[in-house]
Amino acid sequence: MSDVSSPEPLFKRLTLVGVGLIGSSVARIAKHRGDLASEIVVSARTQKTLDRVMELGIADRVELDPGRAVQGADGVMLCAPVGAFADLAAAIAPHLAPGAILTDVGSTKVSVIRDVGPLVPDSVHFVPAHPIAGTEYSGPDSGFITLFENRWTLLTPPPGTDTAAVAKIEELWRRCGSMVETMEPAHHDRVLAIVSHLPHLIAFTICGTADDLEDESREEVLKFAASGFRDFTRIAASDPVMWRDIFLNNRDALLEMLARFMEDAQAMARAVRWGDGTYIEDKVKRSRAIRQSLIELKQA
Ligand code: NAP
């Protein structure tokens, strides 16, 4: 995590709406560093999660009602699944303090701007963001303070967003250990469709295919999983609601990338059928080069 660049907390009160892997990691970092916010308030869907948050000691205060949770906050971060954002934005909008910054961590950005943007009062700055870091675990116990270290956070502020508000959210993510870049929201969604959403779709699908096999073969899939299948099962273990919401809220970009993938998979099938070893070898070589680049960029 980067050094503390200023002893001053960025926010007086930061409210996290949703406190799973991402929200609880931010809360842990805030408690650990002390310079994200003087006070951390947390809201979630269930009291059980809020009780756990207090047990873990990662918030100063919890509120089940999101409207009450954001009252008096100068920073608000939506950390729930993106499908819940429209209702959450409607619930908190009348309670947001003038001058507050509203941000989020949602994995899709066009839909978030569509669902949240129109509900944000004129006096509030809206800075959509997406930390590209994660694991297959969810819930308040799954967070950890190094989650965002050396990972990218993409900011997608709509045109005309207050530059000081954008700079503040950028600094928040830098203090979380992240590298930050700004991107146009539709471009963000296309990039994420290929680097994250399509790989998850393939993982969920291949696990389903294996599960549909007759009993005998299915047992062998589990027994010999270490030969490649295992890596797909890790990705496929992610939260169902979160992924349902991501797929439905990045539909166009995901379907476009899936169509391109299916064309390429067909080309590979053709090479296999016709014994085109050169084609297959070339594809594997290109894939290895991508892996090597990731290692060099320290993103592996
Ligand atoms: P998570 O671990 O599944 O936690 C979700 C949190 O949101 C829980 O605290 C849950 O409360 C709360 N929540 C769910 N529905 C809600 C509602 N209707 N109103 C209020 N709170 C609600 O999720 P996560 O993995 O941290 O993901 C959170 C967000 O980050 C998502 O938008 C996701 O797209 C994005 N993101 C995820 C990853 C990743 O790899 N996990 C990476 C980058 C960005 P309860 O516990 O009470 O149900």
Side-chain angles (χ1 to χ4, degrees):
M1 217 174 299
S2 66
D3 288 339
V4 180
S5 51
S6 153
E8 277 293 297
L10 285 167
F11 294 99
K12 289 192 184 71
R13 179 182 295 168
L14 177 65
T15 296
L16 305 172
V17 182
V19 65
L21 172 71
I22 304 294
S24 79
S25 293
V26 172
R28 281 176 172 87
I29 295 167
K31 281 282 160 207
H32 177 75
R33 291 182 57 115
D35 65 352
L36 296 194
S38 308
E39 186 190 9
I40 294 288
V41 177
V42 161
S43 183
R45 192 177 38 165
T46 61
Q47 188 59 44
K48 186 169 170 261
T49 292
L50 297 182
D51 292 344
R52 183 62 186 145
V53 164
M54 289 313 277
E55 269 170 33
L56 291 167
I58 55 175
D60 298 295
R61 192 157 61 78
V62 291
E63 288 281 357
L64 197 54
D65 177 359
R68 283 175 63 99
V70 304
Q71 272 167 18
D74 51 345
V76 174
M77 189 184 278
L78 299 179
C79 305
V82 290
F85 278 18
D87 286 348
L88 282 173
I92 65 172
H95 306 280
L96 290 168
I101 300 177
L102 173 65
T103 186
D104 78 296
V105 299
S107 304
T108 60
K109 297 275 57 101
V110 171
S111 76
V112 169
I113 292 168
R114 176 199 69 204
D115 291 349
V116 177
L119 299 165
V120 181
D122 289 344
S123 60
V124 171
H125 308 292
F126 178 37
V127 185
H130 176 205
I132 305 179
T135 71
E136 65 276 31
Y137 300 107
S138 50
D141 284 278
S142 61
F144 54 99
I145 59 169
T146 55
L147 177 62
F148 309 111
E149 235 166 65
N150 299 320
R151 297 282 173 251
W152 286 98
T153 295
L154 298 176
L155 307 186
T156 64
T161 308
D162 181 63
T163 52
V166 176
K168 213 163 174 176
I169 295 303
E170 181 168 345
E171 178 61 16
L172 180 145
W173 285 110
R174 289 202 193 285
R175 292 186 190 189
C176 288
S178 191
M179 304 172 288
V180 182
E181 202 160 285
T182 299
M183 205 178 258
E184 198 269 321
H187 187 61
H188 164 280
D189 285 4
R190 280 172 56 83
V191 171
L192 267 293
I194 187 70
V195 300
S196 170
H197 307 167
L198 180 62
H200 277 82
L201 185 151
I202 293 169
F204 299 136
T205 307
I206 202 168
C207 286
T209 306
D211 200 41
D212 287 344
L213 294 174
E214 61 276 19
D215 286 349
E216 196 185 315
S217 308
R218 196 190 301 139
E219 268 171 35
E220 281 161 351
V221 167
L222 296 178
K223 188 167 166 189
F224 303 120
S227 48
F229 183 68
R230 186 178 58 183
D231 293 343
F232 283 106
T233 64
R234 187 191 62 73
I235 300 178
S238 305
D239 186 71
V241 172
M242 182 183 118
W243 281 100
R244 177 201 67 192
D245 285 2
I246 291 172
F247 285 5
L248 295 179
N249 284 284
N250 196 18
R251 187 177 54 189
D252 294 346
L254 178 57
L255 289 178
E256 184 199 326
M257 295 305 166
L258 179 61
R260 291 172 75 136
F261 169 79
M262 290 197 303
E263 270 181 29
D264 292 343
Q266 280 298 340
M268 180 61 101
R270 195 180 153 79
V272 172
R273 181 177 305 282
W274 296 103
D276 187 349
T278 311
Y279 182 93
I280 299 167
E281 205 182 323
D282 181 55
K283 283 286 169 195
V284 178
K285 270 190 199 152
R286 280 174 63 185
S287 306
R288 289 183 79 178
I290 290 177
R291 177 72 190 171
Q292 193 54 41
S293 309
L294 279 187
I295 292 169
E296 283 159 17
L297 289 167
K298 296 193 167 50
Q299 296 296 309

